Amino acid sequence: MRYSKEHKAETRQRIVEEASRRFRRDGIGATGLQALMKALGLTHGGFYAHFKSKDDLVETALQHAVEERDEAVDEFMSADEPLQTLIEQYLSAAHCKHPEQGCPLPTMAAELGQRGEPSATTDQLVKKRLEQIAAGLGGDESADERSVLVLSAMVGALQLSRSVKNKRLSDRILKTTARLLDEMAES
């Protein structure tokens, strides 16, 4: 049975969205294609009508996650205190609790880096976030350097807070990092 181009595009988009959520929540290596396709009510063999390989899907899902988060970050950056809003939202309990909806840096990008398979999409995301953070820090030469520290601290704190079992410790990591970054942003 032949499907229309619209149906094929919609199916591809469903696969990308579900893969993006699962890769961020469960990890790339832990997400099997068969289980992914089954969750969508599709056959494993049908995957190859949309993607050349799992690596192709991973890159597409990473791009989707970046686009999805860009919308939210752009909104944060239009607030009265953009950098403080970004820090507060990034280091929130909700972001910690829902990696499937969050930034792909502490999940997908970290796993790709660990596997020795870095992505140009990650480079683009990091550069954009550094520019946004530097602008929130005043945009001077010092802000460019401090933006690296802010982004690294945010990603690291989120990743670390997700990895500890103790809820109070997780909250402490998020709140302490957010407070110290806010203080740095204000100075």
Side-chain angles (χ1 to χ4, degrees):
M1 178 174 177
R2 307 261 313 150
Y3 291 104
S4 70
K5 288 183 181 181
E6 289 174 359
H7 181 269
K8 186 173 180 179
E10 289 171 5
T11 301
R12 178 183 168 89
Q13 187 61 30
R14 286 179 48 224
I15 296 168
V16 169
E17 289 171 0
E18 184 65 20
S20 179
R21 281 189 295 272
R22 286 174 180 244
F23 291 157
R24 286 181 278 174
R25 183 189 68 207
D26 304 330
I28 296 165
T31 301
L33 294 180
Q34 189 167 5
L36 171 68
M37 296 299 282
K38 184 177 182 180
L40 293 166
L42 302 168
T43 64
H44 180 249
F47 171 84
Y48 295 99
H50 301 280
F51 301 95
K52 292 180 275 186
S53 63
K54 183 176 180 181
D55 289 342
D56 183 24
L57 174 61
V58 168
E59 185 63 25
T60 304
L62 177 59
Q63 291 167 356
H64 173 76
V66 168
E67 291 167 8
E68 188 178 82
R69 294 311 306 157
D70 274 349
E71 291 176 22
V73 171
D74 288 346
E75 187 177 314
F76 303 151
M77 297 310 286
S78 67
D80 289 338
E81 295 182 326
L83 183 54
Q84 288 80 359
T85 303
L86 175 63
I87 292 167
E88 178 183 308
Q89 295 297 320
Y90 198 95
L91 296 174
S92 69
H95 193 200
C96 183
K97 188 176 179 180
H98 297 286
E100 74 280 1
Q101 299 169 2
C103 177
L105 290 175
T107 54
M108 294 177 72
E111 185 175 347
L112 289 171
Q114 183 181 26
R115 292 167 50 177
E117 301 169 1
S119 167
T121 300
T122 301
D123 292 10
Q124 294 166 0
L125 172 59
V126 169
K127 288 176 185 177
K128 182 173 183 177
R129 290 297 176 266
L130 291 175
E131 289 170 4
Q132 290 169 315
I133 292 167
L137 291 168
D140 59 14
E141 190 174 312
S142 164
D144 285 341
E145 289 183 359
R146 290 183 296 146
S147 69
V148 174
L149 177 62
V150 171
L151 181 61
S152 299
M154 289 184 350
V155 172
L158 184 63
Q159 192 173 36
L160 188 59
S161 69
R162 286 176 176 163
S163 71
V164 297
K165 186 174 184 175
N166 184 300
K167 172 86 169 92
R168 287 179 37 178
L169 179 57
S170 176
D171 289 344
R172 178 180 170 207
I173 292 165
L174 293 174
K175 289 176 182 173
T176 301
T177 304
R179 180 178 52 78
L180 292 173
L181 291 177
D182 278 343
E183 289 173 9
M184 188 181 93
E186 290 173 3
S187 61

